[in-house]
Amino acid sequence: MRLLLPMLLAVTALAAPKRPVTHEDIWLMKRTGEPVVSPDGRSIVFTLTEPDYDAAKQWTDLWLVPADGSAPARRITHTKGAENGVAWSPDGSRLAFSAKREGDEAPQIYILPLTAGGEAERVTSAPLGASNPQWRPDGKAILFESDYDPIAAERKARKWNARIYDTFPIRYWNAWLDEKKPHVFVQPLTPGAPAVDLIAGSHLVNSPGFAGVFRTSGGQALEAVWTPDGRSVVFTAFVNRDETMSAETESHLFVVPAEGGEPKQITARGQSFSDPKFSPKGDALFALHQKLPERGGRLYSLSRLARFAWPAAGQPALITNSWDRSVSSFSISPDGATLYIAAGDDGFDQLFQVPAAGGAVKRLFAVDRGAYSDVRPVAGGLAARFQTSIQPPEIVLLKNGAAPHVLLTNFNAERLSAIDASDALHFWFTAKTGKRIHNLMVLPPNFDKEKKYPLVIFPHGGPNSMSTDAFSQRWNNHLLASPGYVVLETNYTGSTGFGEKFADDIERDVLRGPAQEILEAIDEAAKRYPYIDKSRQAAAGASYGGYLMNWFEGHATQFKCLVNHAGAINNESQYGANDGGLGRELRMGGPIWEKGGQWNDQSPIRYSGSFQTPMLITQGELDFRVPLNESMTTFKILQRRKVPTRLVVFPEEGHWILRGENSRKHMEEVLAWLKAYL
């Protein structure tokens, strides 16, 4: 019996049926950061977040794995403070990273010895924190970024509390802007040596239009990198942020001496640049390039790869100028001859390569499942992150740069093995406009093709984004499908990954056309897949998707209910209260006072006399992209029309519901609303 009982338990465990995914599954799955490859290409360091509903119990540590998969990943830090922005020393013996550890008032730069062993040592003391460490090529200094507050003393001494602005913008996503601006520092690794602020007192920093690249997670970044000789630093900065309401803002590349001075702009006005990277040989500088919107012309622009000769840095060559896809991210081969690209393409996040000197962009391999990102050259092939709509990103090895991949990490295997979640289905159809439209569909757990299932449509936000077979913690399509629904996601006009014109076409038809394509997609899906019950339909959307929900309120009667998160209802009021600038005016077809173009014609509030579908409305109170007044207006109108409505406001949240317990409550409300009507 002593032998038999364990055997019976094992058989029972193997035979256990799989179950639907839960919010706890989605929230508690471990999350890997992007791979950071050692100088010799043989090791990869990455962050691993072990989440918890209590943020105080969440861990984010550094892990190390051999690039060839010869050994499992191992944890190399064990602290409560989260590590970020990890960088290898030039000789591969040390790691620099940003972390807030015991005694730190803000995150600082730490250096961890790998080959010699020992504890991480703090090397910065920036009052407002330090981020994005970069090693000087000789390994004797660290470049980092930190905010600088020019009125810190005044702010501390004053007895009044007010925000005062002379130019727009005044807030971004979920934070009010203030006088703090990002600066670039160099910290020599000589004991007792002070950090040097490279741009303090410069005309650039003191200009009213200076700003860093705003991050949705908060703060600003300058994307600073060393030049190959270690004598200068290249960084990205906006030059006309104060012109947000009269012109399109531009980000440019600057170079500044390593001892500090006046930065020199090396890119021409009328375009934007970001994400600078130097070739290993030091003869070229690469960056992402975007054209600025044209008044009366194309508003959407692809992100293209630009190459500057270095150190000349004259007019750049646009390497991917003839490629009709947008570069999401890129890396450079060790010999500098090849650029590896991650990009959205026809409904999948795929990998490509292009000669660094220019030429044809080639797909590495066709992707028909999941999504690839963050591609990096390693010894023997390429490392990347791979995910699906049910599996969070894991680091994989592509031997010789080809599929199939080998998992270098697999942190969620045990949890995933218990979940009933089939691969996403993909189909295309031709809309009445003649455009080919891609769709992604997720089936419910315990699926039986002989049964009938309600349909929930979930169009993506953006609108310049793309529904892909990728993991989402906030709106997971398998979680939406878990009660027994088929979930349909349509890549309507405006979606990225289908060409520049396809993405840009939404600017002239911001709601009507995309909504019609989604309704046609429902008909096409029901025709192809008999298990869809067209008599039980619901729609859910967030951000632009919520905007669509308000449009459906006035133009569609086929839905049993709607779910609207952070959706605009009134073009005019959102324009007045949100954090955006000239872009909305260009999209609507003219200034707001002219009331032409789409200001009235495609504003959902103009059709509110037809609102009749029960709607759940959810909103973060700190959302400055789609402010709370939009959801309040929608709720008020539906209440006036006596339509069943529920409003759920999260006081601590911005545009996204990010806190664990708030996220759980949010999805409880969403699934309960769908259940009540489906």
Side-chain angles (χ1 to χ4, degrees):
M1 285 299 293
R2 289 179 180 178
L3 292 175
L4 183 58
L5 182 58
M7 292 176 61
L8 288 173
L9 290 174
V11 170
T12 302
L14 288 172
K18 292 191 175 186
R19 56 174 176 76
V21 70
T22 66
H23 185 272
E24 287 71 22
D25 291 320
I26 299 300
W27 189 261
L28 296 177
M29 286 189 193
K30 298 175 182 179
R31 313 163 202 162
T32 60
E34 65 182 58
V36 183
V37 182
S38 62
D40 63 5
R42 298 183 181 277
S43 299
I44 297 170
V45 67
F46 60 95
T47 59
L48 180 72
T49 298
E50 300 178 66
D52 194 281
Y53 280 101
D54 182 350
K57 297 178 181 178
Q58 179 168 295
W59 291 71
T60 299
D61 284 311
L62 297 180
W63 287 64
L64 189 69
V65 66
D68 62 1
S70 57
R74 62 184 178 90
R75 188 195 305 259
I76 57 175
T77 61
H78 300 74
T79 61
K80 283 279 187 180
E83 285 90 11
N84 293 290
V86 63
W88 289 87
S89 64
D91 64 0
S93 67
R94 294 170 290 172
L95 293 173
F97 56 87
S98 176
K100 183 181 178 181
R101 296 195 165 181
E102 187 175 355
D104 295 338
E105 294 185 2
Q108 302 294 340
I109 305 302
Y110 284 79
I111 293 180
L112 176 68
L114 289 179
T115 55
E119 295 297 319
E121 178 186 359
R122 194 180 82 172
V123 296
T124 65
S125 299
L128 298 180
S131 63
N132 189 29
Q134 303 288 326
W135 292 84
R136 196 165 70 190
D138 64 3
K140 296 180 179 180
I142 293 283
L143 172 71
F144 70 92
E145 299 178 26
S146 179
D147 282 345
Y148 174 74
D149 188 353
I151 63 166
E154 175 192 331
R155 191 191 308 277
K156 188 175 182 180
R158 67 192 185 192
K159 297 181 180 180
W160 51 268
N161 184 20
R163 298 186 180 100
I164 301 173
Y165 300 93
D166 295 308
T167 60
F168 200 82
I170 62 176
R171 54 190 190 177
Y172 187 74
W173 284 111
N174 63 341
W176 289 89
L177 303 182
D178 57 23
E179 292 83 1
K180 299 185 189 73
K181 294 293 177 69
H183 281 216
V184 181
F185 295 79
V186 169
Q187 176 65 64
L189 297 182
T190 305
V196 179
D197 188 337
L198 303 190
I199 58 177
S202 65
H203 293 300
L204 173 66
V205 167
N206 292 328
S207 65
F210 170 74
V213 178
F214 286 143
R215 295 175 292 197
T216 54
S217 58
Q220 301 176 43
L222 293 176
E223 305 178 327
V225 294
W226 289 100
T227 57
D229 59 10
R231 296 178 180 177
S232 303
V233 170
V234 169
F235 64 91
T236 305
F238 279 86
V239 297
N240 64 334
R241 184 71 79 180
D242 59 325
E243 299 176 357
T244 299
M245 292 310 302
S246 59
E248 283 297 305
T249 55
E250 304 176 12
S251 61
H252 288 280
L253 301 183
F254 291 83
V255 61
V256 63
E259 63 273 11
E262 184 63 44
K264 176 186 176 183
Q265 185 172 322
I266 60 176
T267 50
R269 293 293 299 266
Q271 52 200 326
S272 277
F273 295 86
S274 62
D275 196 16
K277 291 184 176 73
F278 281 98
S279 66
K281 295 181 180 179
D283 60 345
L285 170 65
F286 298 93
L288 294 180
H289 166 273
Q290 279 194 309
K291 297 177 182 177
L292 294 185
E294 307 166 5
R295 288 182 179 271
R298 177 161 291 162
L299 303 185
Y300 174 83
S301 175
L302 298 174
S303 289
R304 295 177 167 89
L305 269 174
R307 181 184 189 275
F308 299 83
W310 192 263
Q315 183 68 21
L318 295 182
I319 297 172
T320 60
N321 194 43
S322 60
W323 190 47
D324 197 18
R325 293 294 183 268
S326 196
V327 178
S328 300
S329 63
F330 71 99
S331 60
I332 309 169
S333 65
D335 62 4
T338 304
L339 302 181
Y340 297 103
I341 297 170
D345 178 58
D346 285 354
F348 290 92
D349 292 324
Q350 308 206 45
L351 303 179
F352 303 83
Q353 68 178 36
V354 63
V361 179
K362 296 182 179 179
R363 190 193 319 273
L364 294 183
F365 51 88
V367 177
D368 58 9
R369 176 181 179 271
Y372 291 89
S373 63
D374 302 313
V375 59
R376 306 283 190 271
V378 295
L382 297 172
R385 286 202 296 173
F386 174 79
Q387 60 184 304
T388 70
S389 51
I390 192 60
Q391 175 188 304
E394 299 282 2
I395 297 175
V396 300
L397 171 65
L398 298 159
K399 294 182 178 180
N400 301 314
H405 63 244
V406 175
L407 284 168
L408 297 181
T409 66
N410 197 11
F411 289 105
N412 299 292
E414 182 178 355
R415 186 179 291 271
L416 288 169
S417 67
I419 296 171
D420 183 357
S422 57
D423 286 346
L425 302 177
H426 298 260
F427 71 90
W428 295 73
F429 75 95
T430 301
K432 293 177 181 178
T433 59
K435 293 180 179 178
R436 293 190 69 238
I437 305 297
H438 170 263
N439 300 265
L440 178 150
M441 203 163 71
V442 169
L443 301 178
N446 196 28
F447 174 71
D448 181 349
K449 66 179 182 179
E450 302 302 322
K451 294 183 178 180
K452 288 281 191 177
Y453 296 92
L455 179 70
V456 176
I457 67 167
F458 183 71
H460 62 73
N464 296 137
S465 181
M466 180 175 70
S467 290
T468 65
D469 184 14
F471 186 81
S472 172
Q473 188 181 34
R474 290 178 285 113
W475 289 94
N476 188 276
N477 49 25
H478 284 280
L479 184 58
L480 288 175
S482 63
Y485 312 139
V486 173
V487 175
L488 174 65
E489 301 176 62
T490 298
N491 280 314
Y492 51 80
T493 294
S495 303
T496 54
F498 304 93
E500 191 168 48
K501 184 179 185 303
F502 188 90
D504 185 64
D505 278 352
I506 195 172
E507 303 294 352
R508 283 83 185 163
D509 186 10
V510 70
L511 285 169
R512 184 175 284 107
Q516 180 59 35
E517 290 169 351
I518 292 168
L519 296 180
E520 291 178 30
I522 294 172
D523 292 338
E524 181 68 23
K527 182 171 64 176
R528 293 187 183 209
Y529 306 105
Y531 46 78
I532 292 176
D533 183 356
K534 279 190 70 177
S535 69
R536 291 183 291 164
Q537 298 181 40
S543 194
Y544 173 82
Y547 193 29
L548 276 171
M549 297 305 108
N550 283 329
W551 182 260
F552 283 139
E553 268 287 6
H555 293 84
T557 58
Q558 66 199 69
F559 300 113
K560 298 294 185 182
C561 68
L562 299 169
V563 176
N564 174 357
H565 175 72
I569 186 172
N570 187 338
N571 290 340
E572 295 173 348
S573 62
Q574 195 210 4
Y575 166 85
N578 86 342
D579 61 351
L582 188 65
R584 177 55 61 91
E585 180 178 310
L586 298 179
R587 174 174 291 169
M588 292 296 116
I592 191 169
W593 51 83
E594 292 182 0
K595 295 186 177 181
Q598 301 179 80
W599 283 112
N600 286 312
D601 177 58
Q602 298 212 29
S603 187
I605 198 170
R606 302 295 173 228
Y607 305 94
S608 55
S610 299
F611 284 13
Q612 58 183 296
T613 304
M615 178 181 281
L616 170 68
I617 306 164
T618 64
Q619 176 80 45
E621 193 169 331
L622 301 179
D623 186 353
F624 302 147
R625 181 53 51 102
V626 182
L628 176 61
N629 62 288
E630 295 299 301
S631 289
M632 289 175 62
T633 301
T634 304
F635 181 69
K636 190 172 185 178
I637 289 173
L638 286 164
Q639 289 282 299
R640 170 68 176 83
R641 292 189 52 74
K642 301 186 184 304
V643 177
T645 325
R646 186 176 178 89
L647 174 64
V648 182
V649 178
F650 295 91
E652 302 169 302
E653 303 287 358
H655 196 59
W656 309 280
I657 310 303
L658 299 178
R659 297 171 185 251
E661 292 294 356
N662 289 346
S663 175
R664 174 153 54 188
K665 177 59 177 174
H666 182 226
M667 293 314 299
E668 284 176 358
E669 292 284 344
V670 170
L671 295 179
W673 191 259
L674 294 174
K675 181 180 180 180
Y677 291 94
L678 292 181

